[in-house]
């Protein structure tokens, strides 16, 4: 008896369904709303009004473990918005309804009406029963119109609803006919990439990944309510991880937007106000979706090892070079030519520079008439005794001379036609070194105060992306964006490790040189005291910190790259370029270089201009006029200081407008009145070329107004740095100075690596100057280890190029270590 009851229970659903359909057939599906049996794949036509509605019942059976999806297509010729036709679909666990004409709203409240609508119903959950299960769907058609309105109804069962791995699937969608499909993770796959492509740019579409929850949000006004989504023109890619979906399956939803504004397109010009039009035929898009497995966890490990080992090899190379240098110095010391520590020599009274010069005295100052016309140096210029304390604030500002005769002596010396290094290295060594160490401590302070808010902001950005699912916020290369933890593109962050590792290595190299230099100074080494370029390492330490911070801030920018935070990636680039120019100038002008306070204040002004350019530089002509004027005037002011006074400072009675009067007087005297050769020909050539370059930049910016203002300013800095470096090397060779093997190797390596780096830099993979959908058209797959893209390779190579560039500045004048300072020309 128990077995018979169980059999009866098993047959109950089928019997009940048959009885219901028979009752509906007997009723005839009349105006009273009794359900009429419906067949899949058959078109039903009819009319409805306020007193007559139609109800259809569609029954089907599902096999165990099978997911069945049903699509409903409806059409109505009526465009009457007051009396639309209402369609309500009732399922076992949900209700879906819409009206025809279906209304979409666009920009400025424009409306778009569609008479043809098709929707995929939320699929039934697979059952675990042994036999097939019966399902039934009711479709109600009604209208409140007092007159008859015709309609068409077609219900079909989808044969291709579940997407397969590595198999492309083609389909068509429109605003009123969205599509979505199911995907289940294979057993051995933890992460997949959904790749969607289309031959047509428009209409604009949205790709969404949603959990298996009903209802599915598949219309323009609600697709952003759930899951992860991104807009699309010709290409889209979304990385999905198994851990984000407990059911190990998800829906891929495709929605066509009624307007193209979100993807960079324009609103149709034929639409004015709230005119209602039908756009079905114009807004159909053919799409192809392919789901491919993403990389495995082992690839993450390989990428990390590659990143760290590649740059740790620089540490090994530096150790080898240092060891070889140590062996060579030891051999020279044994040969009696040089001591092991930077070539200590025996100081004798016959040396042209006083052998008994105390450690804190004016090293490099010639006591003979070669530099000061036979006058002995005044007491402030002689410096302090060796044992004096140099921690007072007065000594930190000792580059300001208060005695009129000393100022006159400076003017006489620094305006000579032929200057030598001994003329510009007359100040106390310890005070000058202390002045340059301020660069190091200031940049650490700046880095801390700048980086902490940046890190907090990008964490907020990433949290917003993860919570909202809006992948249009960040401009990744989605075809090569590998997530890790909460980070959406870990590869773009990991590739910045080179800046930090090489920046730290450069600090170690500078520290080694600094220690050796201090030891030599303690030993009263004559070659250290009176020969070669004066060694001040403060700017080098600042450059190393700047390189490390560039890596940190570039990583922060790539947490969520977009238009608003691009300045994070460029701020320390400005500082690196500026510090390199200051270091290059300081080499031959150690006494008259800019102070840390004025230099960093100048960088602050540049960063402020960059922020203003981001805000106002898009279309505002007034901003470009003001910026171009500032650029040209700053170039003229700086050129006048360098040419006429030989220093960067702009204090004193000749500041402000006086400096321009002085420049005009020089131009009038040298070129118009006398038409003679300029007094400082080399400097004049450099400044003329430099001003032409800067004026060209100003004119270009004023005419074309580039949207990427931060990169525009960075280009100005880099071009000026390259121009000055080229001038320095040319003048060095012209002065019969040599390039030793190490700086020559660094110069060649810098040129080669920069060329390769710039090649990958210009392989544009995304662009926040465009809409997110347009930016994704530029996305490309990974090219290195299946983990890094072109921009990651740019990070690797640019870090190495900057490191070699720093080494060029560090070693460029090593050949002068055995040349007296009164024989080293200034240029």
């Amino acid at each position: 008896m128990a077995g018979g009851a169980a059999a009866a229970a098993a047959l109950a659903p089928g019997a009940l369904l048959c009885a219901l359909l028979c009752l509906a057939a007997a009723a005839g599906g009349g105006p009273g709303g009794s359900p009429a049996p419906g067949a899949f794949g058959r078109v039903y036509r009819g009319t409805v009004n306020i007193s007559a509605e139609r109800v259809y019942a569609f029954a089907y059976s599902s096999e165990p473990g099978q997911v069945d999806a049903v699509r409903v297509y409806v059409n109505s010729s009526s465009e009457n918005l007051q009396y639309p036709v209402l369609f309500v679909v009732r399922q076992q666990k949900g209700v879906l309804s819409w009206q025809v004409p279906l209304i979409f709203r666009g920009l400025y409240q424009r409306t778009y009406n569609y008479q043809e609508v098709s929707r995929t119903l939320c699929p039934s959950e697979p059952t675990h029963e042994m036999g097939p299960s019966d399902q039934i769907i009711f479709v109600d058609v009604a209208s409140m119109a007092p007159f008859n309105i015709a309609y068409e109804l077609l219900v079909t069962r989808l044969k291709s609803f579940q997407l397969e791995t590595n198999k492309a699937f083609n389909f068509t969608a429109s605003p009123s006919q969205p599509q979505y499909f199911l995907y289940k993770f294979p057993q051995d796959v933890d992460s997949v990439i959904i790749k969607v492509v289309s031959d047509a740019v428009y209409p604009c579409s949205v790709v969404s990944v949603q959990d298996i929850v009903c209802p599915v949000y598949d219309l323009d006004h609600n697709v952003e309510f759930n899951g992860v989504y991104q807009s699309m023109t010709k290409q889209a890619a979304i990385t999905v991880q198994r851990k984000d979906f407990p059911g190990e399956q998800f829906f891929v939803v495709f929605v066509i937007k009624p307007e193209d504004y979100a993807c960079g397109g324009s609103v149709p010009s034929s639409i004015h106000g709230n005119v209602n039009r039908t756009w079905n035929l114009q807004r159909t898009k053919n799409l192809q979706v392919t789901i491919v497995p993403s990389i495995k966890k082992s690839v993450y490990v390989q990428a990390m090892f590659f990143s760290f080992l590649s740059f740790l090899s620089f540490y090994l190379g530096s150790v080898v070079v240092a060891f070889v240098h140590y062996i060579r110095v030891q051999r020279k010391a044994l040969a009696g030519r040089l001591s092991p520590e930077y070539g200590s020599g025996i100081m004798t009274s016959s040396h042209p520079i006083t052998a008994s010069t105390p450690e804190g005295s004016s090293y490099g100052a010639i006591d003979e008439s070669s530099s000061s016309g036979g006058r002995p140096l005044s007491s402030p210029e002689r410096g302090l005794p060796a044992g004096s304390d140099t921690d007072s604030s007065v000594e930190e500002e000792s580059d300001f001379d208060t005695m009129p005769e000393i100022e006159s002596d400076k003017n006489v010396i620094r305006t000579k036609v032929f200057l030598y290094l001994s003329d510009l290295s007359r100040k106390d060594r310890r005070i000058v070194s202390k002045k340059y160490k301020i660069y190091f401590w200031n940049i650490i302070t700046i880095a801390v105060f700048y980086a902490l808010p940046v890190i907090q902001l990008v964490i907020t950005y990433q949290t917003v992306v993860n919570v909202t699912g809006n992948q249009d916020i960040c401009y990744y290369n989605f075809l090569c964006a590998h997530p890790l933890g909460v980070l959406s593109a870990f590869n773009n962050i990991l590739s910045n490790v080179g800046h930090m590792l090489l920046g730290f290595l450069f600090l170690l190299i500078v520290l080694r040189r600094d220690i050796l230099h201090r030891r030599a100074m303690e030993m009263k080494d004559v070659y250290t005291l009176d020969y070669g370029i004066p060694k001040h390492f403060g700017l080098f330490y600042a450059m190393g910190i700047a390189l490390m911070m560039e890596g940190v801030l570039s990583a922060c920018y790539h947490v969520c790259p977009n238009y608003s935070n691009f300045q994070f990636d460029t701020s320390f680039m400005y500082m690196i370029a500026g510090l390199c120019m200051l270091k290059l100038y300081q080499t031959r002008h150690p006494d008259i270089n800019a102070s840390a306070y004025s230099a960093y204040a100048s960088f602050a002004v540049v960063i402020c201009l960059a922020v203003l350019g981001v805000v106002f530089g898009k279309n505002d002509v007034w901003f470009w006029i003001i910026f171009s004027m500032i650029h040209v005037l700053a170039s003229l002011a700086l050129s006048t200081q360098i040419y006429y006074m030989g220093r960067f400072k702009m204090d004193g009675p000749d500041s402000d407008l006086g400096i321009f009067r002085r420049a005009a007087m020089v131009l009038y005297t040298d070129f118009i009145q006398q038409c003679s050769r300029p007094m400082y020909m080399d400097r004049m050539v450099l400044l003329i070329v430099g001003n032409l370059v800067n004026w060209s930049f100003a004119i270009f910016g004023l005419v074309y107004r580039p949207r990427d203002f931060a990169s525009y300013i960075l280009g100005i800095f880099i071009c000026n740095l390259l121009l000055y470096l080229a001038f320095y090397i040319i003048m060095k060779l012209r002065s019969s100075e040599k390039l030793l093997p190490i700086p020559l190797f660094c110069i060649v390596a810098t040129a080669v690596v920069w060329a390769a780096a710039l090649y990958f830099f210009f392989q544009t993979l995304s662009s926040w100057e465009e809409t997110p959908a347009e930016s994704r058209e530029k996305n490309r797959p990974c090219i290195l280890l299946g983990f890094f893209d072109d921009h990651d390779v740019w990070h690797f190579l640019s870090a190495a190029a900057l490191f070699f560039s720093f080494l060029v500045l560090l070693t460029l004048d090593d050949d002068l270590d055995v040349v007296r300072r009164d024989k080293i020309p200034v240029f």
Side-chain angles (χ1 to χ4, degrees):
M1 176 161 317
L11 294 173
L16 178 63
L17 179 62
C18 292
L20 182 61
L21 291 179
C22 291
L23 180 63
S34 301
F40 290 102
R42 176 183 171 185
V43 177
Y44 292 90
R45 297 180 176 86
T47 60
V48 290
N49 54 48
I50 191 171
S51 60
E53 64 178 89
R54 297 288 183 266
V55 180
Y56 298 89
F58 296 86
Y60 64 96
S61 298
S62 295
E63 298 296 329
Q66 177 182 346
V67 178
D68 287 296
V70 175
R71 191 166 179 83
V72 178
Y73 166 86
V74 297
N75 181 23
S76 174
S77 58
S78 173
E79 295 188 8
N80 193 326
L81 300 180
Q82 297 295 324
Y83 300 106
V85 180
L86 307 178
F87 293 87
V88 180
V89 181
R90 289 174 288 155
Q91 296 176 266
Q92 181 178 345
K93 291 186 178 181
V95 175
L96 182 66
S97 63
W98 66 90
Q99 69 178 48
V100 176
L102 184 62
I103 301 175
F104 291 98
R105 294 195 176 275
L107 195 65
Y108 307 123
Q109 298 302 314
R110 291 187 173 92
T111 58
Y112 301 90
N113 307 332
Y114 292 82
Q115 271 78 33
E116 297 181 6
V117 181
S118 62
R119 306 282 298 276
T120 300
L121 306 183
C122 198
S124 59
E125 298 179 2
T127 62
H128 300 285
E129 301 177 3
M130 297 301 295
S133 61
D134 296 318
Q135 305 287 337
I136 188 168
I137 299 172
F138 291 100
V139 181
D140 300 357
V141 187
S143 177
M144 298 297 291
F147 48 84
N148 289 336
I149 299 179
Y151 69 88
E152 290 184 358
L153 171 67
L154 172 65
V155 181
T156 59
R157 297 181 65 179
L158 297 179
K159 297 181 180 179
S160 301
F161 180 69
Q162 186 168 334
L163 300 175
E164 299 180 15
T165 307
N166 290 320
K167 185 175 181 181
F169 180 73
N170 297 279
F171 60 95
T172 302
S174 70
S176 63
Q177 301 180 25
Q179 299 268 15
Y180 65 87
F181 304 95
L182 175 70
Y183 180 79
K184 293 183 178 181
F185 280 98
Q187 290 298 322
D188 58 341
V189 176
D190 294 324
S191 178
V192 296
I193 302 178
I194 304 170
K195 299 180 179 180
V196 187
V197 296
S198 175
D199 294 332
V201 175
Y202 300 118
C204 177
S205 55
V206 176
V207 181
S208 173
V209 176
Q210 302 179 19
D211 201 0
I212 306 297
V213 177
C214 294
V216 178
Y217 298 100
D218 61 348
L219 291 177
D220 176 61
H221 65 271
N222 62 17
V223 69
E224 300 174 359
F225 289 176
N226 186 27
V228 178
Y229 62 91
Q230 57 183 233
S231 57
M232 169 190 165
T233 51
K234 298 184 68 174
Q235 181 173 255
I238 300 178
T239 299
V240 183
Q241 300 182 83
R242 181 196 292 264
K243 66 180 182 64
D244 296 331
F245 295 93
E248 299 184 353
Q249 56 186 350
F250 55 84
F251 289 134
V252 187
V253 184
F254 303 91
V255 174
I256 309 300
K257 298 185 76 66
E259 289 180 347
D260 297 326
Y261 180 79
C263 293
S266 58
V267 178
S269 58
S270 60
I271 297 179
H272 302 285
N274 291 325
V275 178
N276 299 313
R277 300 286 296 275
T278 298
W279 298 95
N280 254 22
L281 299 178
Q282 301 181 26
R283 302 200 63 79
T284 299
K285 190 164 189 173
N286 297 319
L287 299 164
Q288 181 185 85
V289 57
T290 309
I291 300 182
V292 299
S294 185
I295 60 175
K296 299 182 179 295
K297 293 181 179 178
S298 59
V299 180
Y300 282 83
V301 178
Q302 294 174 9
M304 292 182 190
F305 272 106
F306 171 81
S307 301
F308 283 93
L309 292 179
S310 297
F311 293 106
L312 289 178
S313 64
F314 283 80
Y315 284 75
L316 179 61
S318 300
V319 171
V320 171
V321 172
F323 180 75
V324 171
H325 180 264
Y326 174 78
I327 296 298
R328 291 183 61 186
V329 171
Q330 290 290 342
R331 288 179 179 177
K332 289 183 180 181
L334 293 175
R337 289 179 289 173
L338 291 174
S339 70
E341 304 295 344
Y342 262 73
S344 296
I346 299 176
M347 295 180 290
T348 62
S349 58
S350 62
H351 196 277
I353 304 178
T354 306
S356 60
T357 304
E359 180 184 352
S361 66
S362 304
Y363 73 112
I366 308 300
D367 287 339
E368 300 175 2
S369 59
S370 61
S371 64
S372 57
R375 290 175 44 197
L377 296 176
S378 304
S379 57
E381 209 46 60
R382 294 287 299 174
L384 298 174
S388 299
D389 185 12
T390 60
D391 292 334
S392 68
S393 60
V394 175
E395 289 172 343
E396 292 180 7
E397 300 297 333
S398 63
D399 52 337
F400 294 95
D401 295 311
T402 56
M403 298 177 62
E405 58 271 20
I406 292 179
E407 189 64 36
S408 175
D409 182 59
K410 280 185 178 181
N411 289 333
V412 170
I413 292 175
R414 296 178 186 177
T415 54
K416 293 193 304 182
V417 177
F418 298 104
L419 274 174
Y420 292 94
L421 187 58
S422 57
D423 299 323
L424 298 181
S425 57
R426 298 156 55 87
K427 294 184 178 179
D428 186 280
R429 175 192 60 80
R430 293 173 302 170
I431 296 176
V432 176
S433 292
K434 197 175 190 69
K435 168 187 173 181
Y436 289 122
K437 285 181 181 177
I438 299 175
Y439 277 95
F440 172 66
W441 295 112
N442 279 9
I443 200 170
I444 290 179
T445 305
I446 293 170
V448 171
F449 278 91
Y450 194 93
L452 290 180
V454 168
I455 294 173
Q456 182 180 4
L457 179 62
V458 297
I459 290 175
T460 303
Y461 267 120
Q462 185 67 72
T463 303
V464 170
V465 172
N466 295 340
V467 171
T468 65
N470 183 4
Q471 295 198 350
D472 283 353
I473 297 176
C474 306
Y475 286 73
Y476 303 117
N477 174 19
F478 288 92
L479 288 176
C480 188
H482 303 297
L484 181 66
V486 298
L487 300 174
S488 299
F490 174 69
N491 54 301
N492 293 150
I493 299 172
L494 176 63
S495 59
N496 285 285
V497 71
H499 294 87
M500 290 174 273
L501 290 178
L502 294 184
F504 185 71
L505 175 59
F506 183 74
L507 289 177
L508 294 179
I509 294 173
V510 173
L511 179 62
R512 173 184 174 273
R513 286 207 167 204
D514 194 6
I515 292 174
L516 292 176
H517 177 69
R518 290 180 184 178
R519 290 178 183 175
M521 293 295 295
E522 292 172 358
M523 296 174 62
K524 304 294 193 298
D525 176 37
V526 66
Y527 285 100
T528 303
L529 291 171
D530 306 320
Y531 282 65
I533 301 295
K535 302 296 190 298
H536 303 295
F537 297 98
L539 272 169
F540 283 128
Y541 285 123
M543 289 161 58
I545 295 295
L547 181 56
M548 295 180 68
M549 287 307 303
E550 172 57 30
V552 172
L553 292 177
S554 178
C556 289
Y557 163 70
H558 283 91
V559 168
C560 182
N562 58 56
Y563 181 79
S564 301
N565 62 11
F566 180 62
Q567 65 197 52
F568 302 159
D569 196 19
T570 55
S571 296
F572 270 81
M573 291 184 184
Y574 305 147
M575 300 185 72
I576 288 174
L579 290 173
C580 287
M581 283 189 282
L582 287 172
K583 183 59 195 175
L584 205 55
Y585 189 82
Q586 178 224 22
T587 303
R588 309 268 172 159
H589 312 76
D591 285 358
I592 59 174
N593 205 3
S595 68
Y597 308 112
S598 59
Y600 287 129
S602 301
F603 296 152
V605 171
V606 171
I607 293 175
C608 288
L609 288 174
V611 174
L612 292 175
V614 170
V615 177
F616 301 107
K618 295 180 181 178
N619 300 310
D620 295 320
V621 179
W622 62 266
F623 170 80
W624 284 99
I625 294 175
I626 295 175
F627 175 78
S628 299
M629 292 176 60
I630 293 175
H631 187 186
V632 171
L633 292 177
S635 300
L636 288 174
L638 188 60
S639 300
T640 305
Q641 288 290 340
I642 294 175
Y643 175 80
Y644 198 76
M645 300 179 186
R647 53 181 173 172
F648 275 22
K649 290 184 178 179
M650 297 181 63
D651 54 316
D654 288 322
S655 60
D656 301 327
L657 295 178
I659 192 172
F660 298 105
R661 288 199 300 268
R662 194 164 193 174
M665 186 179 299
V666 170
L667 293 174
Y668 175 77
T669 303
D670 287 351
F671 294 101
I672 299 177
Q673 187 177 32
Q674 299 177 3
C675 195
S676 62
R677 183 178 182 271
M679 182 178 295
Y680 313 115
M681 176 58 74
D682 295 332
R683 272 183 267 174
M684 177 61 74
V685 172
L686 168 67
L687 295 175
I688 289 177
V689 175
N691 275 274
L692 289 176
V693 169
N694 282 278
W695 296 352
S696 299
F697 268 104
I699 295 172
F700 174 83
L702 190 60
V703 173
Y704 293 98
R705 299 193 293 278
R707 292 186 62 186
D708 189 354
F709 186 76
S711 296
Y712 170 76
I713 294 185
L714 183 60
I716 295 175
F717 269 89
I718 292 177
C719 283
N720 281 277
L721 174 59
L722 293 177
L723 179 65
Y724 190 24
L725 180 61
F727 169 79
Y728 189 95
I729 294 176
I730 292 172
M731 292 301 298
K732 180 178 177 66
L733 297 176
R734 192 178 156 200
S735 302
S736 300
E737 298 176 9
K738 297 182 297 182
L739 289 176
L740 296 181
I742 289 181
L744 183 60
F745 168 78
C746 291
I747 291 173
V748 175
T750 299
V752 172
V753 178
W754 268 124
L758 290 174
Y759 170 79
F760 287 100
F761 175 75
F762 289 111
Q763 304 299 312
T764 307
L765 303 179
S766 61
S767 174
W768 44 255
E769 299 179 26
E770 302 172 338
T771 63
E774 291 173 322
S775 173
R776 271 185 280 273
E777 294 181 24
K778 300 178 171 63
N779 289 176
R780 297 183 192 174
C782 305
I783 64 169
L784 180 62
L785 300 178
F787 190 83
F788 297 111
D789 59 19
D790 296 76
H791 197 74
D792 295 323
V793 177
W794 149 255
H795 286 162
F796 289 137
L797 294 178
S798 64
L802 284 171
F803 176 71
F804 282 124
S805 302
F806 289 2
L807 290 182
V808 170
L809 299 181
L810 183 64
T811 63
L812 187 57
D813 289 313
D814 284 355
D815 61 299
L816 302 178
D817 286 346
V818 293
V819 180
R820 283 176 42 178
R821 288 175 189 158
D822 60 341
K823 303 296 183 183
I824 300 177
V826 172
F827 42 78

